[in-house]
């Protein structure tokens, strides 16, 4: 696919020259690198946590305790074991990549919102006397965003993608 390139002086006096639109494929590599780095951070944290006999998990969310609020910041980075991490890692990489392809500012905004709102939700409604860890809330918050994004933008391909993702990953609750 080629785009017409403006010739010198074709914009005329007082007019800005237009740039060709940024293609989505140009965003694929940075998105893959960024979400891959985030996944690597989760694996490194898991290795450190395992070597420390999962003592870092004490930093997770402790519902309805003042000290447990700090866990809102830590909980998505911590996991109860390798199986727990792997069950979150695959959808996290897929959903995060799909959001990142739309741009880093949107990814950051969605991630911060989901991270904090879901963390406070767990803090308010989680089981008393237990520590809650894991990126499941981040995964399902990103899934909700991907499902709703298509409906709000009225973009048929995004709606279809959201429905497929919901059927694949949301289906674990139906079976």
């Amino acid at each position: 696919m080629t785009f017409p390139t403006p010739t010198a002086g074709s914009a005329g006096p007082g007019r800005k020259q237009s740039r060709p639109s940024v293609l989505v494929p140009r965003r694929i590599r940075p998105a893959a690198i960024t979400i891959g780095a985030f996944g690597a951070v989760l694996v490194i944290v898991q290795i450190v946590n395992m070597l420390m006999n999962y003592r870092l998990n004490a930093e997770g969310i402790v519902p309805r305790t003042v000290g447990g609020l700090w866990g809102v910041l830590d909980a998505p980075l911590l996991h109860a074991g390798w199986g727990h991490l792997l069950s979150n890692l695959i959808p996290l990489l897929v959903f995060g990549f799909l959001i990142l392809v739309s741009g880093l500012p949107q990814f950051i905004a969605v991630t911060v919102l989901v991270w904090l709102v879901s963390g406070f939700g767990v803090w308010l409604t989680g089981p008393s006397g237990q520590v809650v860890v894991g990126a499941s809330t981040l995964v399902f918050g990103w899934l909700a965003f991907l499902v709703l994004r298509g409906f709000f933008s009225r973009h048929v391909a995004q709606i279809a993608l959201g429905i497929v993702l919901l059927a694949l990953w949301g289906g674990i609750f139906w079976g």
Side-chain angles (χ1 to χ4, degrees):
M1 174 180 252
T2 60
F3 290 95
T5 55
T7 58
S10 66
R15 296 173 126 182
K16 292 183 180 179
Q17 280 195 282
S18 63
R19 280 184 5 181
S21 64
V22 176
L23 295 176
V24 172
R26 289 184 181 171
R27 293 183 178 179
I28 289 176
R29 184 173 178 186
I33 291 169
T34 303
I35 199 63
F38 184 64
V41 166
L42 291 178
V43 170
I44 291 167
V45 168
Q46 177 62 20
I47 291 168
V48 170
N49 199 12
M50 181 187 71
L51 292 173
M52 295 177 67
N53 293 321
Y54 293 95
R55 280 183 277 162
L56 290 178
N57 284 356
E59 300 300 316
I61 300 170
V62 182
R64 292 172 302 286
T65 64
V66 175
L69 272 172
W70 286 108
V72 169
L73 302 176
D74 302 333
L77 302 173
L78 303 169
H79 290 82
W82 286 101
H84 185 208
L85 173 63
L86 292 175
S87 69
N88 282 324
L89 195 57
I90 294 169
L92 184 125
L93 294 173
V94 172
F95 301 161
F97 173 79
L98 291 172
I99 297 169
L100 270 163
V101 168
S102 296
L104 186 61
Q106 183 178 63
F107 174 79
I108 291 171
V110 170
T111 300
V112 168
L113 181 68
V114 168
W115 195 303
L116 295 176
V117 169
S118 64
F120 286 123
V122 169
W123 184 80
L124 285 171
T125 64
S128 294
Q130 294 187 14
V131 179
V132 181
V133 296
S136 299
T137 55
L138 189 58
V139 167
F140 285 104
W142 285 352
L143 175 59
F145 171 78
L146 289 167
V147 170
L148 294 174
R149 175 176 69 178
F151 290 102
F152 284 109
S153 69
R154 297 182 182 160
H155 194 272
V156 176
Q158 288 181 352
I159 293 171
L161 176 66
I163 291 171
V164 168
L165 293 173
L166 182 62
L168 288 174
W169 272 280
I172 64 171
F173 293 113
W174 301 332

